[in-house]
Amino acid sequence: MLIYLYGPDAYRRSQKLREITKQFTDKHSALSVKRFDLTEPEEMDHLKDFSTAQSLFDTAKFGIIYGISEREPKEVDNILKIADESKEMSLVVITDKALPKPFKIFSKESVVKQSFEALAPAQLSELIKKESDSRGLKLDAQVLRGLAEKYASDTWGLVNEIDRLALGGSHQDVLREVDFFSSLNAFARSGSATTRLPLLEHLLNSEDPAKVFNVLASISPKKSLMANYDVAIKSGKLEYEEVLTNIAISD
């Protein structure tokens, strides 16, 4: 059997992989489960050996493949065909995005496929409630909205944050971080100095100037300008507050 799990939502994708792996280990030896990272040169040979050799522990075997996009389709095609036609070997291929058309085998109807795309806002809210409820964690509406806003495309980060809150972490930390990112995004998007200056004052009252600059540099479309400012700061010619004020009052 050949199984293909792809898409950017790594948390839900990993949950599905865990479910599939458990279905196998409930019936067969866990020693027959192997993982292969094809970004490592030697792993291709290990995968070839796995696909042709008889398992020492069971009649069935189960392989999990990462990094397949780093290989040419012809390198893996025969192995994938063996799995697709086999009742004894299962291979699960994991990718962050859909593989290109040259990996033709994944278009076959016999391949079990599931996509894990970024969640829509309503779906993300459902995930937050489900994960919170499973931990016995009660969150008010403000924190729920804050989590959804902060972790809109990062479900791993979201679940880690829910774990932290379930272990006694401060709800106010979530709201403070959400406020920081909301204010910084508004600062970056605004075309008006009269809007940017109050936002900058708010940001500098609650956060270190270095953090404000570095996060702003990561989201700003003006990469060369921010790089020049970074050089000026590190060479001692400008201070973080001075650079941020220059950005705030510039056209």
Side-chain angles (χ1 to χ4, degrees):
M1 177 183 290
L2 182 59
I3 303 169
Y4 178 33
L5 307 180
Y6 64 96
D9 192 334
Y11 177 72
R12 289 188 301 123
R13 200 180 63 209
S14 72
Q15 293 293 94
K16 186 63 178 181
L17 175 61
R18 182 181 300 177
E19 175 190 323
I20 295 170
T21 305
K22 186 177 184 301
Q23 289 173 356
F24 177 85
T25 56
D26 282 348
K27 298 178 181 179
H28 304 282
S29 170
L31 296 174
S32 297
V33 177
K34 302 293 181 184
R35 288 171 169 78
F36 305 93
D37 181 357
L38 299 188
T39 62
E40 299 294 331
E42 69 278 4
E43 287 292 88
M44 194 66 228
D45 288 335
H46 295 164
L47 178 59
K48 288 177 181 177
D49 291 342
F50 174 82
S51 67
T52 56
Q54 178 65 45
S55 172
L56 297 175
F57 311 106
D58 207 320
T59 56
K61 50 190 176 180
F62 187 93
I64 303 167
I65 301 175
Y66 300 93
I68 197 171
S69 60
E70 299 297 312
R71 299 287 178 167
E72 291 295 326
K74 62 183 180 182
E75 291 184 85
V76 295
D77 194 51
N78 286 338
I79 296 171
L80 299 177
K81 284 180 179 177
I82 292 171
D84 187 43
E85 298 167 0
S86 175
K87 294 182 179 179
E88 288 75 37
M89 179 174 71
S90 296
L91 289 180
V92 185
V93 175
I94 309 290
T95 64
D96 291 332
K97 57 184 179 180
L99 289 165
K101 290 182 179 180
F103 289 90
K104 296 178 182 178
I105 191 167
F106 293 108
S107 64
K108 292 181 64 176
E109 291 186 4
S110 55
V111 177
V112 178
K113 297 179 279 285
Q114 188 167 350
S115 171
F116 296 88
E117 300 303 322
L119 293 173
Q123 294 171 316
L124 186 63
S125 296
E126 289 178 11
L127 177 65
I128 295 170
K129 188 175 187 310
K130 175 186 173 184
E131 296 294 334
S132 300
D133 289 348
S134 71
R135 293 160 175 79
L137 179 65
K138 300 301 180 184
L139 300 175
D140 63 35
Q142 192 177 15
V143 174
L144 287 170
R145 286 195 302 272
L147 288 171
E149 183 176 341
K150 183 179 178 182
Y151 296 102
S153 59
D154 178 14
T155 46
W156 266 120
L158 168 65
V159 173
N160 287 336
E161 182 73 5
I162 291 171
D163 281 335
R164 186 187 70 80
L165 293 173
L167 292 171
S170 170
H171 291 199
Q172 291 304 313
D173 288 345
V174 175
L175 299 177
R176 190 159 44 247
E177 281 293 298
V178 169
D179 176 67
F180 169 70
F181 284 106
S182 296
S183 298
L184 193 62
N185 280 322
F187 179 88
R189 291 194 304 267
S190 175
S192 167
T194 56
T195 302
R196 287 196 296 264
L197 281 169
L199 286 168
L200 178 60
E201 183 179 3
H202 173 69
L203 286 163
L204 294 180
N205 282 338
S206 58
E207 295 291 349
D208 180 71
K211 176 180 177 180
V212 175
F213 173 81
N214 288 322
V215 178
L216 178 63
S218 71
I219 64 175
S220 173
K222 300 177 180 179
K223 299 300 182 187
S224 59
L225 175 64
M226 300 305 288
N228 290 337
Y229 274 136
D230 189 50
V231 170
I233 291 168
K234 289 177 178 174
S235 64
K237 295 178 180 178
L238 293 171
E239 299 292 332
Y240 283 110
E241 295 94 330
E242 186 178 1
V243 167
L244 291 166
T245 300
N246 286 344
I247 295 170
I249 62 177
S250 64
D251 294 330

